[in-house]
Amino acid sequence: MLRRWCLAGARRAYAVSLKTEVGADAGAVTMTDSCVERIHKQNSINSEQPYLRLKIGPGGCKGAKYDFDWVEKPGAKDHVFEKGGAYLVVDDRSFDTLKGSQIDFLYEMKGNQFQVLRPGDKSYSACSCGESFEISA
């Protein structure tokens, strides 16, 4: 089963030692080609904030939501993932929850957005609108 958690919040245009984690093992957060393409497109518009940051924050009716933002550089404890010259930054606090996820970028009539794909994960339940989720123990 493939579960999708969509986020419209990435439409905001904001965008250390660099420890880059590459690979598709179970502990990685990976990016689709569509996500990589969108990061490159954003970088062509604003090269001062080249990293896409993903973190889990409080919000929504289920209590947690994904926050996407553009940042200038990763923090000291961030996990940085690279694919095709595109960089995704995940804060240390959110990393354990996001392990094994894949980040995609969707082009739809209702709007373009980044989304988090969690294949086969049954420890999450989403609200009916898809904007927030709850993590089951």
Side-chain angles (χ1 to χ4, degrees):
M1 173 189 286
L2 183 66
R3 293 187 178 215
R4 293 182 179 198
W5 309 107
C6 298
L7 269 293
R11 289 190 276 256
R12 293 182 295 184
Y14 312 150
V16 162
S17 67
L18 184 64
K19 179 181 84 176
T20 306
E21 301 174 29
V22 180
D25 61 43
V29 178
T30 60
M31 294 177 275
T32 64
D33 292 340
S34 180
C35 178
V36 169
E37 179 182 301
R38 181 63 182 109
I39 291 171
H40 285 304
K41 183 175 181 180
Q42 176 65 26
N43 289 340
S44 71
I45 297 167
N46 181 5
S47 62
E48 293 179 18
Q49 296 173 315
Y51 296 91
L52 176 63
R53 174 182 293 284
L54 168 58
K55 68 178 182 176
I56 297 174
C61 55
K62 286 285 192 169
K65 65 183 179 71
Y66 296 115
D67 289 322
F68 289 91
D69 206 357
W70 298 101
V71 296
E72 183 179 343
K73 64 181 180 178
K77 293 185 178 183
D78 286 340
H79 298 262
V80 180
F81 300 92
E82 186 272 342
K83 179 179 177 181
Y87 293 94
L88 173 71
V89 176
V90 177
D91 69 297
D92 195 48
R93 187 172 178 193
S94 303
F95 178 67
D96 284 338
T97 304
L98 291 167
K99 282 181 186 175
S101 297
Q102 185 175 48
I103 312 308
D104 193 13
F105 189 78
L106 264 173
Y107 297 92
E108 296 181 325
M109 286 182 66
K110 65 181 179 178
N112 302 331
Q113 60 192 6
F114 286 100
Q115 68 176 356
V116 177
L117 303 173
R118 302 196 50 87
D121 192 339
K122 296 179 178 153
S123 64
Y124 289 76
S125 64
C127 64
S128 60
C129 70
E131 289 294 320
S132 65
F133 61 94
E134 177 179 45
I135 302 169
S136 306

Short mmCIF file of all heavy atoms in Angstrom, two decimals, residues 62-130:
data_model
loop_
_atom_site.label_atom_id
_atom_site.label_comp_id
_atom_site.label_asym_id
_atom_site.label_seq_id
_atom_site.Cartn_x
_atom_site.Cartn_y
_atom_site.Cartn_z
N LYS A 62 -5.07 16.64 13.19
CA LYS A 62 -4.47 15.40 13.71
C LYS A 62 -3.24 15.67 14.57
O LYS A 62 -2.71 14.76 15.20
CB LYS A 62 -4.09 14.47 12.56
CG LYS A 62 -5.27 13.80 11.91
CD LYS A 62 -5.82 12.69 12.78
CE LYS A 62 -6.79 11.85 12.00
NZ LYS A 62 -7.15 10.63 12.69
N GLY A 63 -2.73 16.91 14.56
CA GLY A 63 -1.65 17.25 15.48
C GLY A 63 -0.27 17.44 14.88
O GLY A 63 0.60 18.06 15.48
N ALA A 64 -0.02 16.92 13.67
CA ALA A 64 1.30 17.07 13.06
C ALA A 64 1.14 17.35 11.57
O ALA A 64 0.18 16.90 10.94
CB ALA A 64 2.14 15.80 13.26
N LYS A 65 2.09 18.09 11.02
CA LYS A 65 2.06 18.37 9.59
C LYS A 65 3.48 18.50 9.07
O LYS A 65 4.42 18.70 9.83
CB LYS A 65 1.27 19.64 9.28
CG LYS A 65 1.88 20.91 9.84
CD LYS A 65 0.98 22.10 9.55
CE LYS A 65 1.56 23.37 10.11
NZ LYS A 65 2.72 23.88 9.42
N TYR A 66 3.62 18.35 7.77
CA TYR A 66 4.92 18.52 7.13
C TYR A 66 5.10 19.99 6.79
O TYR A 66 4.18 20.63 6.27
CB TYR A 66 5.01 17.69 5.85
CG TYR A 66 4.92 16.20 6.09
CD1 TYR A 66 3.86 15.47 5.59
CD2 TYR A 66 5.91 15.54 6.80
CE1 TYR A 66 3.78 14.10 5.79
CE2 TYR A 66 5.84 14.17 7.01
CZ TYR A 66 4.78 13.46 6.50
OH TYR A 66 4.70 12.11 6.71
N ASP A 67 6.26 20.52 7.07
CA ASP A 67 6.60 21.90 6.71
C ASP A 67 7.76 21.86 5.72
O ASP A 67 8.81 21.28 6.02
CB ASP A 67 7.02 22.71 7.93
CG ASP A 67 5.86 23.01 8.86
OD1 ASP A 67 4.75 23.28 8.35
OD2 ASP A 67 6.06 22.99 10.09
N PHE A 68 7.58 22.47 4.55
CA PHE A 68 8.63 22.61 3.56
C PHE A 68 9.05 24.07 3.52
O PHE A 68 8.21 24.96 3.64
CB PHE A 68 8.14 22.21 2.17
CG PHE A 68 7.91 20.73 2.00
CD1 PHE A 68 6.67 20.18 2.27
CD2 PHE A 68 8.92 19.91 1.56
CE1 PHE A 68 6.45 18.82 2.10
CE2 PHE A 68 8.71 18.56 1.37
CZ PHE A 68 7.48 18.01 1.66
N ASP A 69 10.34 24.30 3.35
CA ASP A 69 10.86 25.66 3.29
C ASP A 69 12.16 25.65 2.50
O ASP A 69 12.79 24.60 2.35
CB ASP A 69 11.11 26.17 4.71
CG ASP A 69 11.05 27.67 4.84
OD1 ASP A 69 10.87 28.36 3.81
OD2 ASP A 69 11.18 28.17 5.96
N TRP A 70 12.57 26.80 1.99
CA TRP A 70 13.85 26.93 1.30
C TRP A 70 14.83 27.59 2.25
O TRP A 70 14.50 28.59 2.90
CB TRP A 70 13.69 27.78 0.04
CG TRP A 70 12.76 27.14 -0.94
CD1 TRP A 70 11.46 27.45 -1.16
CD2 TRP A 70 13.06 26.04 -1.81
NE1 TRP A 70 10.92 26.62 -2.11
CE2 TRP A 70 11.88 25.75 -2.53
CE3 TRP A 70 14.21 25.29 -2.05
CZ2 TRP A 70 11.81 24.74 -3.47
CZ3 TRP A 70 14.13 24.27 -2.98
CH2 TRP A 70 12.96 24.00 -3.69
N VAL A 71 16.04 27.04 2.36
CA VAL A 71 17.03 27.59 3.28
C VAL A 71 18.37 27.78 2.58
O VAL A 71 18.67 27.14 1.58
CB VAL A 71 17.22 26.70 4.53
CG1 VAL A 71 15.94 26.65 5.35
CG2 VAL A 71 17.66 25.29 4.16
N GLU A 72 19.17 28.67 3.16
CA GLU A 72 20.48 29.01 2.60
C GLU A 72 21.49 27.90 2.81
O GLU A 72 22.29 27.58 1.94
CB GLU A 72 20.98 30.29 3.26
CG GLU A 72 22.30 30.78 2.71
CD GLU A 72 22.74 32.07 3.39
OE1 GLU A 72 21.93 32.74 4.01
OE2 GLU A 72 23.94 32.38 3.27
N LYS A 73 21.47 27.30 4.02
CA LYS A 73 22.41 26.22 4.32
C LYS A 73 21.83 25.33 5.41
O LYS A 73 20.99 25.77 6.19
CB LYS A 73 23.77 26.76 4.73
CG LYS A 73 23.76 27.57 6.00
CD LYS A 73 25.15 28.09 6.32
CE LYS A 73 25.11 28.89 7.61
NZ LYS A 73 26.42 29.37 7.99
N PRO A 74 22.28 24.09 5.47
CA PRO A 74 21.79 23.19 6.52
C PRO A 74 22.39 23.53 7.87
O PRO A 74 23.46 24.13 7.96
CB PRO A 74 22.25 21.81 6.04
CG PRO A 74 23.36 22.07 5.10
CD PRO A 74 23.16 23.43 4.54
N GLY A 75 21.70 23.13 8.92
CA GLY A 75 22.22 23.28 10.27
C GLY A 75 23.21 22.17 10.59
O GLY A 75 23.32 21.18 9.86
N ALA A 76 23.89 22.32 11.71
CA ALA A 76 24.93 21.37 12.10
C ALA A 76 24.40 19.95 12.32
O ALA A 76 25.10 18.98 12.06
CB ALA A 76 25.63 21.87 13.36
N LYS A 77 23.17 19.81 12.80
CA LYS A 77 22.61 18.48 13.09
C LYS A 77 21.64 17.99 12.01
O LYS A 77 20.99 16.97 12.19
CB LYS A 77 21.89 18.51 14.44
CG LYS A 77 22.83 18.70 15.60
CD LYS A 77 22.09 18.60 16.91
CE LYS A 77 23.05 18.75 18.07
NZ LYS A 77 22.38 18.58 19.35
N ASP A 78 21.55 18.70 10.91
CA ASP A 78 20.65 18.31 9.83
C ASP A 78 21.18 17.12 9.05
O ASP A 78 22.39 16.93 8.94
CB ASP A 78 20.42 19.47 8.86
CG ASP A 78 19.53 20.55 9.43
OD1 ASP A 78 18.79 20.27 10.38
OD2 ASP A 78 19.59 21.68 8.92
N HIS A 79 20.28 16.37 8.48
CA HIS A 79 20.61 15.28 7.56
C HIS A 79 20.39 15.84 6.16
O HIS A 79 19.32 16.38 5.87
CB HIS A 79 19.72 14.07 7.79
CG HIS A 79 19.86 13.48 9.15
ND1 HIS A 79 20.65 12.38 9.40
CD2 HIS A 79 19.35 13.86 10.35
CE1 HIS A 79 20.61 12.09 10.68
NE2 HIS A 79 19.82 12.98 11.28
N VAL A 80 21.38 15.71 5.30
CA VAL A 80 21.31 16.27 3.95
C VAL A 80 21.34 15.12 2.95
O VAL A 80 22.22 14.27 2.98
CB VAL A 80 22.48 17.24 3.68
CG1 VAL A 80 22.38 17.81 2.27
CG2 VAL A 80 22.51 18.35 4.71
N PHE A 81 20.36 15.11 2.05
CA PHE A 81 20.25 14.09 1.02
C PHE A 81 20.41 14.75 -0.33
O PHE A 81 19.89 15.84 -0.56
CB PHE A 81 18.91 13.36 1.13
CG PHE A 81 18.72 12.70 2.45
CD1 PHE A 81 18.09 13.37 3.49
CD2 PHE A 81 19.20 11.42 2.68
CE1 PHE A 81 17.93 12.77 4.73
CE2 PHE A 81 19.06 10.81 3.91
CZ PHE A 81 18.42 11.49 4.94
N GLU A 82 21.13 14.09 -1.23
CA GLU A 82 21.43 14.65 -2.55
C GLU A 82 21.02 13.68 -3.64
O GLU A 82 21.20 12.48 -3.52
CB GLU A 82 22.93 14.94 -2.64
CG GLU A 82 23.35 15.67 -3.90
CD GLU A 82 23.68 14.75 -5.08
OE1 GLU A 82 23.92 13.55 -4.87
OE2 GLU A 82 23.69 15.25 -6.20
N LYS A 83 20.45 14.24 -4.69
CA LYS A 83 20.18 13.45 -5.89
C LYS A 83 20.29 14.40 -7.07
O LYS A 83 19.59 15.41 -7.13
CB LYS A 83 18.78 12.83 -5.85
CG LYS A 83 18.45 12.03 -7.12
CD LYS A 83 17.09 11.41 -7.06
CE LYS A 83 16.78 10.68 -8.36
NZ LYS A 83 15.44 10.08 -8.35
N GLY A 84 21.17 14.09 -8.00
CA GLY A 84 21.31 14.87 -9.21
C GLY A 84 21.62 16.34 -8.98
O GLY A 84 21.20 17.19 -9.75
N GLY A 85 22.34 16.64 -7.90
CA GLY A 85 22.69 18.02 -7.59
C GLY A 85 21.61 18.80 -6.86
O GLY A 85 21.75 19.99 -6.61
N ALA A 86 20.52 18.14 -6.49
CA ALA A 86 19.45 18.76 -5.69
C ALA A 86 19.60 18.29 -4.25
O ALA A 86 19.90 17.11 -4.00
CB ALA A 86 18.08 18.37 -6.23
N TYR A 87 19.39 19.20 -3.31
CA TYR A 87 19.61 18.89 -1.90
C TYR A 87 18.33 19.01 -1.09
O TYR A 87 17.60 19.99 -1.20
CB TYR A 87 20.67 19.81 -1.31
CG TYR A 87 22.02 19.57 -1.90
CD1 TYR A 87 22.47 20.32 -2.97
CD2 TYR A 87 22.85 18.57 -1.40
CE1 TYR A 87 23.72 20.08 -3.53
CE2 TYR A 87 24.09 18.33 -1.95
CZ TYR A 87 24.52 19.09 -3.01
OH TYR A 87 25.74 18.86 -3.57
N LEU A 88 18.09 18.00 -0.26
CA LEU A 88 16.98 17.98 0.68
C LEU A 88 17.57 17.93 2.08
O LEU A 88 18.46 17.13 2.36
CB LEU A 88 16.11 16.73 0.44
CG LEU A 88 15.01 16.48 1.45
CD1 LEU A 88 13.89 17.51 1.29
CD2 LEU A 88 14.46 15.06 1.29
N VAL A 89 17.08 18.79 2.95
CA VAL A 89 17.55 18.87 4.33
C VAL A 89 16.43 18.43 5.26
O VAL A 89 15.30 18.90 5.14
CB VAL A 89 17.97 20.33 4.68
CG1 VAL A 89 18.38 20.43 6.13
CG2 VAL A 89 19.05 20.81 3.76
N VAL A 90 16.74 17.52 6.18
CA VAL A 90 15.78 17.05 7.17
C VAL A 90 16.37 17.30 8.55
O VAL A 90 17.49 16.87 8.82
CB VAL A 90 15.45 15.55 6.99
CG1 VAL A 90 14.51 15.06 8.08
CG2 VAL A 90 14.88 15.29 5.61
N ASP A 91 15.64 18.00 9.40
CA ASP A 91 16.16 18.26 10.74
C ASP A 91 16.24 16.97 11.53
O ASP A 91 15.52 16.01 11.27
CB ASP A 91 15.31 19.32 11.46
CG ASP A 91 13.94 18.82 11.83
OD1 ASP A 91 13.16 18.48 10.92
OD2 ASP A 91 13.65 18.75 13.03
N ASP A 92 17.14 16.93 12.50
CA ASP A 92 17.42 15.72 13.25
C ASP A 92 16.18 15.21 14.00
O ASP A 92 15.96 14.01 14.10
CB ASP A 92 18.57 15.98 14.23
CG ASP A 92 19.15 14.70 14.78
OD1 ASP A 92 19.43 13.78 13.98
OD2 ASP A 92 19.31 14.60 16.02
N ARG A 93 15.38 16.12 14.49
CA ARG A 93 14.18 15.74 15.26
C ARG A 93 13.16 15.00 14.39
O ARG A 93 12.48 14.09 14.85
CB ARG A 93 13.57 16.99 15.86
CG ARG A 93 12.45 16.73 16.80
CD ARG A 93 12.04 18.01 17.48
NE ARG A 93 10.92 17.75 18.35
CZ ARG A 93 10.20 18.68 18.88
NH1 ARG A 93 10.48 19.94 18.66
NH2 ARG A 93 9.18 18.37 19.66
N SER A 94 13.04 15.39 13.13
CA SER A 94 12.07 14.77 12.22
C SER A 94 12.61 13.54 11.51
O SER A 94 11.84 12.75 10.96
CB SER A 94 11.64 15.78 11.16
OG SER A 94 11.10 16.94 11.73
N PHE A 95 13.92 13.37 11.52
CA PHE A 95 14.56 12.33 10.70
C PHE A 95 14.05 10.92 11.00
O PHE A 95 13.73 10.16 10.09
CB PHE A 95 16.08 12.39 10.85
CG PHE A 95 16.79 11.31 10.09
CD1 PHE A 95 16.77 11.31 8.70
CD2 PHE A 95 17.44 10.29 10.74
CE1 PHE A 95 17.41 10.32 7.97
CE2 PHE A 95 18.09 9.30 10.03
CZ PHE A 95 18.07 9.31 8.65
N ASP A 96 13.95 10.54 12.28
CA ASP A 96 13.52 9.18 12.61
C ASP A 96 12.14 8.88 12.06
O ASP A 96 11.87 7.77 11.60
CB ASP A 96 13.54 8.96 14.12
CG ASP A 96 14.96 8.76 14.65
OD1 ASP A 96 15.84 8.39 13.86
OD2 ASP A 96 15.17 8.99 15.86
N THR A 97 11.25 9.86 12.09
CA THR A 97 9.90 9.66 11.59
C THR A 97 9.87 9.57 10.06
O THR A 97 9.05 8.87 9.49
CB THR A 97 8.98 10.81 12.06
OG1 THR A 97 9.05 10.89 13.48
CG2 THR A 97 7.55 10.60 11.63
N LEU A 98 10.78 10.28 9.40
CA LEU A 98 10.78 10.35 7.95
C LEU A 98 11.63 9.28 7.26
O LEU A 98 11.61 9.19 6.03
CB LEU A 98 11.25 11.74 7.50
CG LEU A 98 10.28 12.87 7.81
CD1 LEU A 98 10.95 14.22 7.62
CD2 LEU A 98 9.04 12.75 6.95
N LYS A 99 12.35 8.48 8.02
CA LYS A 99 13.18 7.42 7.42
C LYS A 99 12.35 6.57 6.48
O LYS A 99 11.24 6.16 6.81
CB LYS A 99 13.77 6.52 8.50
CG LYS A 99 14.93 7.08 9.23
CD LYS A 99 15.44 6.09 10.25
CE LYS A 99 16.51 6.69 11.10
NZ LYS A 99 16.94 5.77 12.17
N GLY A 100 12.89 6.31 5.30
CA GLY A 100 12.21 5.47 4.33
C GLY A 100 11.20 6.20 3.46
O GLY A 100 10.60 5.60 2.58
N SER A 101 10.99 7.47 3.71
CA SER A 101 10.04 8.26 2.91
C SER A 101 10.65 8.67 1.58
O SER A 101 11.86 8.71 1.42
CB SER A 101 9.64 9.54 3.66
OG SER A 101 8.98 9.24 4.85
N GLN A 102 9.78 9.00 0.66
CA GLN A 102 10.20 9.54 -0.63
C GLN A 102 9.47 10.86 -0.83
O GLN A 102 8.28 10.96 -0.61
CB GLN A 102 9.86 8.57 -1.75
CG GLN A 102 10.39 9.03 -3.10
CD GLN A 102 10.15 8.01 -4.19
OE1 GLN A 102 9.04 7.50 -4.33
NE2 GLN A 102 11.19 7.69 -4.94
N ILE A 103 10.21 11.88 -1.27
CA ILE A 103 9.64 13.19 -1.50
C ILE A 103 9.39 13.35 -2.99
O ILE A 103 10.26 13.08 -3.80
CB ILE A 103 10.58 14.31 -0.99
CG1 ILE A 103 11.07 14.01 0.42
CG2 ILE A 103 9.88 15.67 -1.05
CD1 ILE A 103 10.01 13.68 1.44
N ASP A 104 8.19 13.78 -3.32
CA ASP A 104 7.77 13.94 -4.70
C ASP A 104 7.26 15.36 -4.90
O ASP A 104 6.99 16.07 -3.92
CB ASP A 104 6.66 12.93 -5.02
CG ASP A 104 6.37 12.79 -6.51
OD1 ASP A 104 7.18 13.28 -7.34
OD2 ASP A 104 5.35 12.18 -6.85
N PHE A 105 7.14 15.78 -6.15
CA PHE A 105 6.51 17.06 -6.45
C PHE A 105 5.40 16.79 -7.44
O PHE A 105 5.61 16.17 -8.48
CB PHE A 105 7.51 18.07 -7.04
CG PHE A 105 6.93 19.45 -7.16
CD1 PHE A 105 6.81 20.26 -6.04
CD2 PHE A 105 6.47 19.93 -8.37
CE1 PHE A 105 6.25 21.52 -6.13
CE2 PHE A 105 5.91 21.19 -8.49
CZ PHE A 105 5.80 22.00 -7.35
N LEU A 106 4.20 17.22 -7.10
CA LEU A 106 3.01 16.97 -7.89
C LEU A 106 2.56 18.21 -8.64
O LEU A 106 2.52 19.29 -8.07
CB LEU A 106 1.85 16.58 -6.96
CG LEU A 106 1.60 15.12 -6.75
CD1 LEU A 106 0.54 14.92 -5.69
CD2 LEU A 106 1.15 14.46 -8.03
N TYR A 107 2.24 18.03 -9.90
CA TYR A 107 1.62 19.09 -10.70
C TYR A 107 0.16 18.70 -10.88
O TYR A 107 -0.14 17.71 -11.54
CB TYR A 107 2.31 19.19 -12.07
CG TYR A 107 3.76 19.58 -12.00
CD1 TYR A 107 4.76 18.62 -11.94
CD2 TYR A 107 4.12 20.92 -11.98
CE1 TYR A 107 6.10 18.99 -11.88
CE2 TYR A 107 5.46 21.30 -11.92
CZ TYR A 107 6.43 20.32 -11.87
OH TYR A 107 7.75 20.69 -11.81
N GLU A 108 -0.75 19.46 -10.24
CA GLU A 108 -2.17 19.15 -10.33
C GLU A 108 -2.97 20.41 -10.64
O GLU A 108 -2.48 21.52 -10.42
CB GLU A 108 -2.67 18.58 -9.00
CG GLU A 108 -2.05 17.25 -8.63
CD GLU A 108 -2.61 16.72 -7.33
OE1 GLU A 108 -2.90 17.53 -6.42
OE2 GLU A 108 -2.74 15.50 -7.21
N MET A 109 -4.20 20.22 -11.07
CA MET A 109 -5.06 21.38 -11.35
C MET A 109 -5.29 22.24 -10.12
O MET A 109 -5.36 23.45 -10.20
CB MET A 109 -6.40 20.91 -11.92
CG MET A 109 -6.30 20.43 -13.36
SD MET A 109 -7.88 19.94 -14.03
CE MET A 109 -8.74 21.49 -14.05
N LYS A 110 -5.40 21.61 -8.96
CA LYS A 110 -5.67 22.36 -7.73
C LYS A 110 -4.42 23.05 -7.18
O LYS A 110 -4.51 23.82 -6.24
CB LYS A 110 -6.30 21.46 -6.67
CG LYS A 110 -5.39 20.36 -6.19
CD LYS A 110 -6.08 19.50 -5.16
CE LYS A 110 -5.16 18.39 -4.71
NZ LYS A 110 -5.76 17.57 -3.69
N GLY A 111 -3.28 22.78 -7.76
CA GLY A 111 -2.05 23.43 -7.32
C GLY A 111 -0.87 22.48 -7.35
O GLY A 111 -1.03 21.26 -7.35
N ASN A 112 0.30 23.04 -7.40
CA ASN A 112 1.54 22.26 -7.39
C ASN A 112 2.03 22.17 -5.96
O ASN A 112 1.95 23.14 -5.21
CB ASN A 112 2.59 22.94 -8.26
CG ASN A 112 2.11 23.12 -9.68
OD1 ASN A 112 1.31 22.34 -10.18
ND2 ASN A 112 2.60 24.15 -10.33
N GLN A 113 2.55 21.00 -5.59
CA GLN A 113 2.99 20.84 -4.20
C GLN A 113 3.97 19.69 -4.04
O GLN A 113 3.97 18.75 -4.81
CB GLN A 113 1.78 20.59 -3.31
CG GLN A 113 0.98 19.35 -3.69
CD GLN A 113 -0.36 19.29 -3.00
OE1 GLN A 113 -0.76 20.22 -2.32
NE2 GLN A 113 -1.06 18.19 -3.16
N PHE A 114 4.80 19.81 -3.00
CA PHE A 114 5.63 18.70 -2.59
C PHE A 114 4.74 17.77 -1.78
O PHE A 114 3.78 18.20 -1.15
CB PHE A 114 6.80 19.17 -1.71
CG PHE A 114 7.87 19.87 -2.49
CD1 PHE A 114 7.93 21.26 -2.51
CD2 PHE A 114 8.82 19.16 -3.20
CE1 PHE A 114 8.91 21.91 -3.24
CE2 PHE A 114 9.81 19.80 -3.92
CZ PHE A 114 9.84 21.18 -3.94
N GLN A 115 5.09 16.50 -1.81
CA GLN A 115 4.36 15.52 -1.01
C GLN A 115 5.33 14.50 -0.45
O GLN A 115 6.40 14.27 -1.01
CB GLN A 115 3.27 14.83 -1.83
CG GLN A 115 3.80 13.93 -2.92
CD GLN A 115 2.69 13.19 -3.64
OE1 GLN A 115 1.53 13.29 -3.28
NE2 GLN A 115 3.04 12.41 -4.63
N VAL A 116 4.93 13.87 0.63
CA VAL A 116 5.72 12.84 1.28
C VAL A 116 5.03 11.50 1.03
O VAL A 116 3.86 11.34 1.38
CB VAL A 116 5.86 13.10 2.79
CG1 VAL A 116 6.64 11.98 3.46
CG2 VAL A 116 6.54 14.45 3.04
N LEU A 117 5.74 10.58 0.41
CA LEU A 117 5.22 9.24 0.15
C LEU A 117 5.79 8.29 1.19
O LEU A 117 7.01 8.28 1.42
CB LEU A 117 5.62 8.76 -1.25
CG LEU A 117 5.21 9.65 -2.42
CD1 LEU A 117 5.82 9.13 -3.71
CD2 LEU A 117 3.71 9.74 -2.53
N ARG A 118 4.91 7.52 1.82
CA ARG A 118 5.35 6.58 2.85
C ARG A 118 4.84 5.19 2.48
O ARG A 118 3.81 4.76 2.98
CB ARG A 118 4.83 7.01 4.20
CG ARG A 118 5.30 8.42 4.56
CD ARG A 118 5.15 8.75 6.01
NE ARG A 118 5.68 7.76 6.89
CZ ARG A 118 6.96 7.72 7.30
NH1 ARG A 118 7.82 8.59 6.88
NH2 ARG A 118 7.36 6.79 8.14
N PRO A 119 5.55 4.48 1.60
CA PRO A 119 5.08 3.17 1.13
C PRO A 119 4.92 2.16 2.26
O PRO A 119 5.83 1.95 3.04
CB PRO A 119 6.15 2.72 0.15
CG PRO A 119 7.14 3.80 0.06
CD PRO A 119 6.83 4.85 1.07
N GLY A 120 3.72 1.59 2.34
CA GLY A 120 3.47 0.52 3.30
C GLY A 120 3.47 0.90 4.76
O GLY A 120 3.42 0.04 5.63
N ASP A 121 3.51 2.17 5.09
CA ASP A 121 3.58 2.60 6.49
C ASP A 121 2.18 2.66 7.09
O ASP A 121 1.33 3.41 6.63
CB ASP A 121 4.25 3.97 6.58
CG ASP A 121 4.61 4.33 8.01
OD1 ASP A 121 4.02 3.75 8.94
OD2 ASP A 121 5.48 5.18 8.19
N LYS A 122 1.96 1.86 8.12
CA LYS A 122 0.65 1.83 8.77
C LYS A 122 0.66 2.54 10.11
O LYS A 122 -0.31 2.46 10.85
CB LYS A 122 0.21 0.38 8.94
CG LYS A 122 0.02 -0.30 7.60
CD LYS A 122 -0.38 -1.72 7.75
CE LYS A 122 -0.60 -2.26 6.36
NZ LYS A 122 -0.42 -3.64 6.21
N SER A 123 1.74 3.23 10.44
CA SER A 123 1.83 3.90 11.74
C SER A 123 1.31 5.33 11.69
O SER A 123 1.42 6.05 12.66
CB SER A 123 3.27 3.88 12.24
OG SER A 123 4.10 4.64 11.37
N TYR A 124 0.74 5.74 10.57
CA TYR A 124 0.25 7.10 10.39
C TYR A 124 -1.23 7.06 10.04
O TYR A 124 -1.68 6.17 9.35
CB TYR A 124 0.98 7.81 9.24
CG TYR A 124 2.39 8.14 9.56
CD1 TYR A 124 3.37 7.17 9.56
CD2 TYR A 124 2.77 9.43 9.88
CE1 TYR A 124 4.67 7.46 9.85
CE2 TYR A 124 4.07 9.74 10.18
CZ TYR A 124 5.02 8.74 10.16
OH TYR A 124 6.31 9.04 10.47
N SER A 125 -1.95 8.06 10.50
CA SER A 125 -3.31 8.25 10.03
C SER A 125 -3.48 9.71 9.67
O SER A 125 -3.06 10.59 10.43
CB SER A 125 -4.33 7.81 11.08
OG SER A 125 -4.25 8.61 12.23
N ALA A 126 -4.05 9.96 8.51
CA ALA A 126 -4.20 11.33 8.02
C ALA A 126 -5.60 11.83 8.31
O ALA A 126 -6.54 11.05 8.45
CB ALA A 126 -3.94 11.39 6.52
N CYS A 127 -5.72 13.14 8.37
CA CYS A 127 -7.06 13.73 8.49
C CYS A 127 -7.73 13.65 7.13
O CYS A 127 -7.10 13.34 6.12
CB CYS A 127 -6.96 15.17 8.99
SG CYS A 127 -6.12 16.28 7.85
N SER A 128 -9.01 13.94 7.08
CA SER A 128 -9.76 13.79 5.84
C SER A 128 -9.30 14.75 4.74
O SER A 128 -9.40 14.45 3.56
CB SER A 128 -11.25 13.96 6.09
OG SER A 128 -11.51 15.25 6.63
N CYS A 129 -8.78 15.93 5.12
CA CYS A 129 -8.33 16.87 4.09
C CYS A 129 -6.91 16.59 3.64
O CYS A 129 -6.44 17.15 2.64
CB CYS A 129 -8.45 18.32 4.59
SG CYS A 129 -7.27 18.77 5.87
N GLY A 130 -6.17 15.75 4.35
CA GLY A 130 -4.82 15.39 3.96
C GLY A 130 -3.75 16.39 4.35
O GLY A 130 -2.60 16.26 3.97
#
